[in-house]
Amino acid sequence: MVMLCPRVVFITGANRGLGLEFVRQFLKLGNPPDHLFATCRDPERAEELKILKKEDDRIQIIKLDVTSQTDIDAAARQVEDRVGDRGLNLLINNAGMTRKRQYVGNLNRDHLLEQFDTNVIGPLLVTQSLMPLLLRAASLYNEPDSCNKAAIVNISSILGSIAENKSGGMYGYRPSKAAMNMVTKSLHEELKNKGILVAALHPGWVRTGIGGPEATLSPEESIKDCLNVLSKLSTEKSGCLLSNNGDKIEW
């Protein structure tokens, strides 16, 4: 297992839930990142994130609504201005959303489109804007591919697995996460010879705004597991949907 120590990390949706916990736990690593870009739609209201920033100046808070191309382009420029030729080692596309009532008879076009925009199109366009920085980082390391070198991790869900769908429903969230899984596979095929790993990661059923209060894992437990998976990520599991224990989940 490689010690997880990416020098430059970019996390979307970092103001609460899993994204905020990613920030906390990256800072607690034995060798934490030099630059941790924590993004959210409204930095002024990200109180917990601002507290972390006051305690550790390695955090850079960036305004980013993943459905806004203006925000995406501005965020990419800020990262490049900050890190220059070092590039970006690890992109975590964590921002996502769901609508709770998603069953035939109660579907709404705008709500469905909103979920696809946030869960699929936004992360893909964020990745596109940051790709030059990921490629730059990958070119600097003459070593096996890893999350320390260059990687894209899309926070997905087992609910996006067609093979594991035994209950139906969730007509916005399930298809959008299935689409994210396809994006992950396509990025892997495009980047597998360029030194960049790509994986979709199911964080488990977590007590967040999406997971709800009955979920089995706390954010702390989930992200501890996720970081363990990232420390082991290699070419063997690039292009896969992985569970929070590192097992492959069928598409």
Side-chain angles (χ1 to χ4, degrees):
M1 180 175 69
V2 176
M3 182 177 74
L4 186 63
C5 55
R7 307 320 310 149
V8 182
V9 178
F10 186 101
I11 304 169
T12 66
N15 60 309
R16 62 180 181 176
L18 298 181
L20 183 64
E21 189 58 31
F22 264 121
V23 173
R24 288 194 179 106
Q25 294 201 29
F26 267 112
L27 294 175
K28 293 178 181 178
L29 292 178
N31 192 0
D34 297 325
H35 301 280
L36 201 168
F37 296 97
T39 78
C40 57
R41 287 181 297 176
D42 188 354
E44 289 303 313
R45 298 176 61 185
E47 297 301 333
E48 292 181 86
L49 189 56
K50 289 194 291 184
I51 291 171
L52 292 177
K53 164 68 176 173
K54 288 180 180 179
E55 297 171 350
D56 197 317
D57 61 7
R58 286 171 291 199
I59 298 174
Q60 300 298 315
I61 302 176
I62 295 179
K63 180 184 183 302
L64 176 59
D65 179 343
V66 299
T67 68
S68 165
Q69 191 61 46
T70 299
D71 279 8
I72 292 172
D73 293 341
R77 287 194 298 270
Q78 288 180 68
V79 176
E80 182 162 22
D81 289 346
R82 187 82 178 181
V83 303
D85 291 338
R86 299 182 66 176
L88 173 63
N89 301 111
L90 179 58
L91 165 60
I92 300 180
N93 283 311
N94 167 74
M97 61 89 62
T98 186
R99 290 281 178 174
K100 294 298 185 181
R101 295 181 60 80
Q102 301 173 80
Y103 300 93
V104 170
N106 195 43
L107 299 177
N108 175 287
R109 178 179 296 275
D110 289 340
H111 292 171
L112 294 171
L113 291 172
E114 177 186 35
Q115 289 169 90
F116 269 84
D117 201 2
T118 303
N119 296 344
V120 189
I121 299 170
L124 178 57
L125 294 179
V126 167
T127 301
Q128 175 177 260
S129 288
L130 294 171
M131 188 62 69
L133 293 170
L134 288 159
L135 289 168
R136 192 175 303 168
S139 71
L140 296 176
Y141 294 82
N142 184 23
E143 60 183 47
D145 296 350
S146 73
C147 287
N148 296 338
K149 180 179 179 180
I152 301 161
V153 176
N154 296 323
I155 302 303
S156 185
S157 174
I158 196 171
L159 293 172
S161 167
I162 295 172
E164 295 293 330
N165 185 353
K166 303 298 192 296
S167 60
M170 303 194 76
Y171 286 101
Y173 190 73
R174 283 187 186 276
S176 68
K177 288 300 185 180
M180 171 177 261
N181 294 342
M182 178 60 83
V183 165
T184 299
K185 176 63 172 173
S186 290
L187 286 169
H188 162 73
E189 294 298 331
E190 186 174 344
L191 299 170
K192 62 185 178 183
N193 296 320
K194 297 181 179 180
I196 300 176
L197 299 178
V198 189
L201 180 58
H202 166 58
W205 186 23
V206 192
R207 293 189 291 275
T208 63
I210 290 178
E214 303 301 319
T216 55
L217 293 173
S218 68
E220 294 82 2
E221 293 167 328
S222 170
I223 299 307
K224 181 180 179 180
D225 290 344
C226 288
L227 292 186
N228 185 48
V229 173
L230 298 190
S231 71
K232 299 175 183 178
L233 190 62
S234 65
T235 54
E236 178 184 335
K237 290 188 176 180
S238 183
C240 296
L241 170 60
L242 304 174
S243 72
N244 60 311
N245 63 14
D247 292 340
K248 293 181 182 180
I249 299 173
E250 293 298 320
W251 298 119

